[in-house]
């Protein structure tokens, strides 16, 4: 019996699932164009010489091609995670990815000049402690895979690859935040195009290279694409699983955009945490019930208490770090209001309220005396801030602003859509 240990193939499946967003994106685009055309016909007589808004800095083709750069980061991070998953349990895989917060904060401070407050530092400390606790529990338990025996060295290697993959994804966030914040592409198209580029890269470039690389099949370096196609073609169960995986990726991305767009990214962050817990519960269910066929899932050991404590610390760190984002935005807003108020003159003398009477005449009885009036200093209702919006992933890993600011600046912007890709390109690999 042979198991489907194919990290490169699973990476291709992930990108193919993402590319399924493109047809839906073009359908929605055509639908909106029809609605805008109908609305313009009705409102045209009322809009007379209104100027059209300025277009994006880059053409749509240029913006689309620029997506190939973050796709490369995504491909590299994905294959590292998929190889690491061969040597750790699914729950440990999910929890170890909390290390992204640490790297994202480091890159934000180093390359973007961001400042961290006490809540951010507290969240990072919780992140380090939680990842350490989860990793220690995995190493001590010796449980790494349901289908093969894993040595402690390979278990450590798997966790190390997952941590390195989070550094790559944090670098991706930093690149996006600095270079691609002004792109104006629909979120669904971004997910679809990155899936298309990723599928071309894995199937057309990396899969042939992996075929000729030295190594053992199923360990993440060498992978026989001919054998992969044969296994898929000869197994109806495997075909169904891969198809369900791609459809699940599509639904995950669409639902993630709806949740973030209508309920906010805070709510989605809670869902992301719940998903990690759900993965662990399903693993336990598979191990202790006939659903796992006696082979799947992971057991509950004495070290699982340490893993559970680490998970709680990671969740607490995420919440504390999010509080730091909120505090940072409040401080930025206060500073912007102070700067705006300081730029206004302290006082302006208005013309006197009453006209002077001709020479030799007295004011009418009961008339009010002429009093100089000073104009009040206007208080701006909105702060004139020039802040970079950030991807969804960055909203809870990099101190780049509040969830509402990062998602509300431009409903069609690139940075609003990324990390929706947080739920497609990295969170929904399996």
């Amino acid at each position: 019996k042979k198991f489907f240990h194919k990290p490169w193939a699973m990476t291709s499946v992930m990108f193919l699932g993402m590319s399924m967003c493109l047809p839906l994106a073009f359908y929605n685009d055509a639908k909106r164009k029809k609605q805008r055309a109908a609305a313009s016909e009705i409102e045209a007589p009322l809009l007379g010489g209104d100027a059209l808004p300025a277009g994006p800095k880059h053409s749509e083709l240029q913006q689309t091609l620029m997506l190939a750069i973050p796709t490369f980061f995504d491909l590299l991070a994905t294959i590292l995670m998929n190889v690491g998953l061969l040597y750790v349990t699914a729950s440990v895989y999910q929890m170890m990815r909390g290390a992204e917060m640490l790297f994202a904060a480091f890159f934000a401070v180093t390359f973007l000049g961001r400042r961290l407050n006490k809540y951010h530092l507290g969240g990072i400390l919780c992140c380090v402690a939680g990842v350490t606790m989860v990793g220690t529990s995995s190493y001590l338990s010796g449980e790494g895979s349901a289908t093969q025996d894993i040595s402690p060295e390979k278990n450590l290697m798997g966790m190390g690859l997952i941590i390195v993959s989070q550094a790559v994804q944090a670098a991706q966030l930093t690149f996006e935040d600095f270079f691609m914040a002004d792109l104006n592409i629909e979120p669904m198209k971004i997910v679809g195009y990155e899936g298309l580029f990723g599928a071309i890269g894995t199937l057309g470039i990396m899969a042939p290279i992996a075929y000729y690389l030295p190594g053992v099949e199923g360990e993440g370096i060498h992978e026989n694409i001919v054998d992969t196609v044969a296994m898929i073609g000869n197994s109806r169960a495997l075909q169904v699983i891969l198809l369900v995986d791609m459809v699940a990726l599509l639904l995950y991305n669409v639902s993630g955009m709806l949740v973030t767009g209508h309920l906010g990214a805070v709510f989605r962050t809670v869902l992301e945490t719940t998903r990690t817990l759900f993965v662990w519960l399903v693993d336990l269910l598979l191990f202790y019930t006939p659903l796992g066929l006696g082979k799947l899932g992971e057991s509950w050991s004495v070290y699982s208490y340490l893993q559970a404590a680490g998970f709680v610390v990671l969740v607490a760190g995420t919440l504390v770090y999010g509080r730091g984002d909120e505090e940072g935005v409040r401080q930025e807003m206060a500073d912007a209001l102070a700067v705006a108020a300081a730029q206004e003159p302290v006082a302006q003398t208005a013309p006197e309220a009453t006209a002077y009477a001709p020479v030799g005449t007295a004011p009418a009885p009961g008339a009010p005396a002429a009093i100089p009036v000073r104009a009040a200093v206007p208080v701006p209702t909105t702060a004139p801030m020039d802040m970079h919006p950030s991807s969804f992933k960055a909203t809870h890993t990099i101190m780049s602003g509040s969830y509402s600011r990062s998602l509300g600046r431009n409903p069609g912007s690139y940075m609003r859509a990324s990390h929706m890709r947080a739920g497609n390109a990295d969170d929904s690999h399996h």
Side-chain angles (χ1 to χ4, degrees):
K1 183 181 290 185
K2 187 175 183 179
F3 294 101
F4 192 75
H5 291 166
K6 305 283 188 178
W8 285 102
M10 292 307 300
T11 302
S12 302
V13 169
M14 183 205 74
F15 282 120
L16 288 173
M18 291 170 57
S19 65
M20 293 171 63
C21 292
L22 269 182
L24 184 59
F26 283 116
Y27 169 77
N28 290 335
D29 194 26
K31 185 177 179 181
R32 276 191 298 270
K33 286 181 179 179
K34 288 183 179 180
Q35 292 175 346
R36 284 196 297 265
S40 63
E41 291 179 0
I42 297 175
E43 299 175 1
L46 303 176
L47 295 179
D50 287 352
L52 293 175
K57 295 180 180 179
H58 307 282
S59 67
E60 184 172 354
L61 177 60
Q62 290 175 322
Q63 295 183 83
T64 301
L65 293 177
M66 288 181 69
L67 295 177
I69 301 176
T71 301
F72 169 77
F73 284 102
D74 212 358
L75 191 155
L76 180 58
T78 302
I79 191 60
L80 289 173
M81 283 190 286
N82 285 347
V83 175
L85 183 57
L86 295 173
Y87 307 112
V88 300
T89 61
S91 63
V92 171
Y93 162 83
Q94 289 283 352
M95 296 177 193
M96 293 296 292
R97 292 169 56 195
E100 181 183 357
M101 179 190 299
L102 172 64
F103 295 109
F106 173 76
F107 291 148
V109 172
T110 304
F111 299 106
L112 302 180
R114 303 245 166 87
R115 291 177 295 176
L116 302 180
N117 55 39
K118 59 182 180 180
Y119 294 104
H120 290 123
L121 296 177
I124 292 172
L125 289 177
C126 289
C127 164
V128 174
V131 169
T132 302
M133 295 167 70
V134 171
T136 302
S137 70
S138 176
Y139 180 79
L140 294 177
S141 68
E143 189 174 16
S145 174
T147 58
Q148 58 181 335
D149 294 329
I150 300 300
S151 66
E153 292 76 16
K154 287 188 175 181
N155 185 264
L156 285 175
M157 184 185 71
M159 291 187 289
L161 289 174
I162 295 172
I163 291 176
V164 171
S165 74
Q166 300 312 294
V168 174
Q169 288 200 321
Q172 175 187 349
L173 291 177
T174 306
F175 174 85
E176 292 171 351
D177 204 15
F178 189 79
F179 289 104
M180 306 185 72
D182 62 337
L183 295 191
N184 187 20
I185 308 178
E186 183 161 352
M188 193 80 74
K189 285 186 179 180
I190 292 172
V191 175
Y193 279 128
E194 289 202 359
L196 180 62
F197 292 152
I200 293 173
T202 51
L203 294 175
I205 301 175
M206 298 310 301
I209 293 177
Y211 179 82
Y212 290 103
L213 288 176
V216 179
E217 176 76 11
E219 292 190 355
I221 299 178
H222 169 76
E223 186 166 310
N224 190 336
I225 189 174
V226 177
D227 179 64
T228 301
V229 173
M231 291 184 69
I232 297 175
N234 295 326
S235 174
R236 181 59 58 88
L238 185 57
Q239 294 170 9
V240 172
I241 290 173
L242 295 180
L243 180 61
V244 169
D245 190 20
M246 287 190 288
V247 174
L249 281 164
L250 173 64
L251 297 178
Y252 188 93
N253 283 289
V254 173
S255 60
M257 293 178 191
L258 294 176
V259 167
T260 308
H262 297 285
L263 299 179
V266 175
F267 184 76
R268 180 167 176 178
T269 303
V270 174
L271 291 183
E272 296 290 330
T273 302
T274 306
R275 183 201 55 188
T276 300
L277 179 61
F278 183 73
V279 168
W280 197 7
L281 293 176
V282 169
D283 251 11
L284 293 172
L285 181 67
L286 290 174
F287 187 87
Y288 289 105
T289 65
L291 295 175
L293 305 176
K295 301 176 182 178
L296 302 178
E298 59 182 289
S299 63
W300 181 274
S301 67
V302 64
Y303 303 108
S304 298
Y305 294 100
L306 179 61
Q307 181 179 349
F311 174 66
V312 172
V313 173
L314 281 171
V315 173
T318 301
L319 296 176
V320 171
Y321 200 97
R323 176 66 183 276
D325 284 343
E326 296 174 358
E327 291 296 323
V329 171
R330 290 194 188 98
Q331 184 61 45
E332 289 178 346
M333 183 69 74
D335 292 345
L337 288 171
V339 170
Q343 291 175 349
E344 295 291 337
V346 177
Q348 295 177 350
T349 304
E352 293 184 356
T354 56
Y356 291 102
V359 177
T361 62
I371 301 176
V373 180
R374 293 184 182 273
V377 178
V379 178
T381 57
T382 58
M385 297 184 293
D386 182 18
M387 302 177 182
H388 292 292
S390 64
S391 65
F392 167 76
K393 287 186 291 186
T395 57
H396 62 281
T397 52
I398 298 180
M399 199 284 286
S400 55
S402 70
Y403 299 101
S404 58
R405 187 187 77 195
S406 62
L407 296 175
R409 181 169 177 176
N410 188 344
S413 69
Y414 171 82
M415 302 312 293
R416 180 178 184 268
S418 50
H419 151 249
M420 321 312 171
R421 290 179 6 265
N424 67 67
D426 62 328
D427 291 340
S428 48
H429 297 154
H430 299 280

